[in-house]
Protein backbone atom coordinates (compact mmCIF):
# COMPACT_ATOMS: atom_id res chain seq x y z
CA UNK A 1 0.00 0.00 0.00
CA UNK A 2 1.35 3.41 -0.91
CA UNK A 3 0.93 6.68 0.90
CA UNK A 4 2.12 10.17 0.17
CA UNK A 5 1.53 13.60 1.69
CA UNK A 6 0.42 16.76 -0.05
CA UNK A 7 1.29 20.01 1.69
CA UNK A 8 -1.66 22.41 1.61
CA UNK A 9 -1.20 26.17 1.76
CA UNK A 10 -2.33 27.51 5.18
CA UNK A 11 -4.65 30.02 3.47
CA UNK A 12 -6.46 27.17 1.70
CA UNK A 13 -6.71 25.26 4.98
CA UNK A 14 -8.34 28.31 6.59
CA UNK A 15 -10.63 29.03 3.62
CA UNK A 16 -11.92 25.44 3.52
CA UNK A 17 -11.97 25.07 7.34
CA UNK A 18 -9.88 21.90 7.05
CA UNK A 19 -8.91 19.98 10.18
CA UNK A 20 -8.17 16.42 11.29
CA UNK A 21 -11.89 15.58 11.17
CA UNK A 22 -12.44 16.79 7.60
CA UNK A 23 -13.48 13.96 5.30
CA UNK A 24 -12.03 14.13 1.80
CA UNK A 25 -12.37 11.99 -1.28
CA UNK A 26 -9.47 11.50 -3.66
CA UNK A 27 -9.35 9.69 -6.99
CA UNK A 28 -7.22 9.50 -10.11
CA UNK A 29 -8.59 10.77 -13.43
CA UNK A 30 -6.79 11.46 -16.70
CA UNK A 31 -3.35 12.02 -15.14
CA UNK A 32 -4.60 14.06 -12.19
CA UNK A 33 -5.35 13.32 -8.56
CA UNK A 34 -8.67 14.94 -7.77
CA UNK A 35 -9.38 15.87 -4.14
CA UNK A 36 -12.83 16.89 -2.90
CA UNK A 37 -13.92 18.02 0.55
CA UNK A 38 -17.12 16.13 1.35
CA UNK A 39 -20.19 17.70 2.91
CA UNK A 40 -21.50 16.24 6.16
CA UNK A 41 -24.25 14.46 4.25
CA UNK A 42 -21.77 12.90 1.80
CA UNK A 43 -19.42 11.88 4.61
CA UNK A 44 -22.22 9.95 6.35
CA UNK A 45 -22.48 7.70 3.27
CA UNK A 46 -18.86 6.55 3.58
CA UNK A 47 -17.82 3.67 5.87
CA UNK A 48 -16.25 4.50 9.22
CA UNK A 49 -12.97 2.93 8.10
CA UNK A 50 -11.50 2.74 4.60
CA UNK A 51 -10.64 -0.88 5.41
CA UNK A 52 -14.34 -1.72 5.25
CA UNK A 53 -14.37 -1.23 1.47
CA UNK A 54 -10.76 -2.19 0.69
CA UNK A 55 -10.34 -5.40 -1.33
CA UNK A 56 -7.12 -6.13 0.60
CA UNK A 57 -8.93 -6.37 3.95
CA UNK A 58 -9.88 -9.90 5.03
CA UNK A 59 -13.11 -9.60 6.98
CA UNK A 60 -13.02 -13.22 8.15
CA UNK A 61 -9.70 -12.72 9.97
CA UNK A 62 -9.92 -8.93 10.32
CA UNK A 63 -6.42 -8.45 8.89
CA UNK A 64 -4.97 -6.38 6.07
CA UNK A 65 -3.51 -8.55 3.33
CA UNK A 66 -1.32 -5.62 2.19
CA UNK A 67 0.44 -5.69 5.55
CA UNK A 68 1.14 -9.40 5.15
CA UNK A 69 2.86 -8.78 1.79
CA UNK A 70 5.39 -6.39 3.39
CA UNK A 71 6.85 -9.10 5.62
Amino acid sequence: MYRFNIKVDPDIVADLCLNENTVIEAFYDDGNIIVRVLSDEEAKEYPASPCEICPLFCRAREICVANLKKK
Side-chain angles (χ1 to χ4, degrees), residues 17-62:
C17 301
L18 299 177
N19 61 48
E20 292 78 16
N21 296 317
T22 303
V23 179
I24 63 167
E25 171 186 65
F27 57 93
Y28 180 81
D29 183 35
D30 195 28
N32 297 292
I33 295 176
I34 312 298
V35 179
R36 269 186 352 110
V37 177
L38 300 181
S39 69
D40 289 340
E41 293 79 29
E42 291 173 310
K44 288 177 186 174
E45 296 175 14
Y46 276 76
S49 165
C51 295
E52 292 178 31
I53 59 172
C54 181
L56 297 176
F57 184 71
C58 175
R59 283 154 193 75
R61 295 186 178 169
E62 295 190 2

